[in-house]
Amino acid sequence: VVRARLDASLTEAQVVLGASTQPLTIIFNSAIIVFREGLEAVVIIAALSAGMTRANTKKYRKPLFLGAVSALLATAFTWVIADSLLWLFRDLGERLEAIVSVIALGVLLLITNWFFHKAYWTDHMAGLHQQKGQLLRGESGKYLGLIILGFTSIYREGFETVLFLQALVLDAGLLVVLQGVILG
């Protein structure tokens, strides 16, 4: 009886708030997440490689891009791990959805805080450029350092994407979310 009243109240709240778990809505939300995070990753790599235009620095683009591609593969691996963990804890039901949503919300708030305080676009990018400059000036570990820089710059975006999308998987299922990922 209590459960039925809670479900009815939740449905009413979704109607009032305009929230929807319709497949098209989830597909659209998934696509927006993938597109936004992907665009951010492209901007970061473009900014890091922008200064590598002279003949003596062009060769350093390759390890930077190798790190970025490695991050994409690691993101796919993270997706598989996260999906497997959610499958293991599926018996938690709505509690699992709440846990994943709170984690995703925490990441979103952290990123939003960085963005609005310009720490992301000023301090974060300046730090990445400083690391790039140090790596380009030094001889030992240049390639490995640039691979790691490319990897960490992109994997952060990939991790966020996985976290946000897993919350949607709990709402609508894997196939619906994957359609949005492909669209994004």
Side-chain angles (χ1 to χ4, degrees):
V1 175
V2 172
R3 170 69 183 212
R5 284 190 288 169
L6 287 173
D7 285 340
S9 295
L10 180 60
T11 302
E12 181 184 342
Q14 286 178 327
V15 170
V16 169
L17 295 173
S20 174
T21 57
Q22 296 296 320
L24 279 177
T25 303
I26 300 296
I27 290 170
F28 186 69
N29 287 345
S30 301
I32 288 173
I33 290 168
V34 170
F35 181 76
R36 184 184 69 81
E37 295 298 331
L39 184 61
E40 193 172 340
V42 168
V43 167
I44 289 170
I45 287 297
L48 287 173
S49 64
M52 298 178 186
T53 56
R54 290 177 281 156
N56 63 337
T57 59
K58 274 189 175 182
K59 62 184 175 188
Y60 299 125
R61 285 182 174 181
K62 187 175 182 177
L64 189 65
F65 291 127
L66 180 61
V69 170
S70 299
L72 292 175
L73 295 173
T75 298
F77 184 67
T78 303
W79 173 274
V80 170
I81 290 172
D83 199 52
S84 298
L85 284 173
L86 290 178
W87 181 254
L88 281 174
F89 295 109
R90 69 187 178 282
D91 294 338
L92 292 174
E94 292 175 352
R95 288 178 287 196
L96 179 60
E97 186 175 340
I99 292 166
V100 171
S101 296
V102 167
I103 292 170
L105 180 64
V107 171
L108 181 63
L109 288 174
L110 181 66
I111 299 307
T112 302
N113 184 42
W114 282 348
F115 182 77
F116 284 116
H117 289 98
K118 295 184 181 180
Y120 179 74
W121 290 112
T122 54
D123 296 341
H124 182 65
M125 288 305 295
L128 291 175
H129 280 291
Q130 182 181 16
Q131 288 175 354
K132 179 184 76 173
Q134 290 171 348
L135 291 168
L136 291 176
R137 285 188 296 278
E139 286 303 317
S140 63
K142 241 184 229 187
Y143 288 101
L144 180 60
L146 286 168
I147 289 170
I148 291 170
L149 180 63
F151 180 86
T152 56
S153 300
I154 301 305
Y155 184 69
R156 187 179 76 76
E157 303 305 326
F159 183 79
E160 287 177 30
T161 303
V162 167
L163 193 57
F164 297 145
L165 292 178
Q166 287 300 330
L168 291 175
V169 167
L170 291 172
D171 275 343
L174 181 63
L175 294 177
V176 173
V177 173
L178 285 178
Q179 291 175 48
V181 169
I182 291 168
L183 179 64

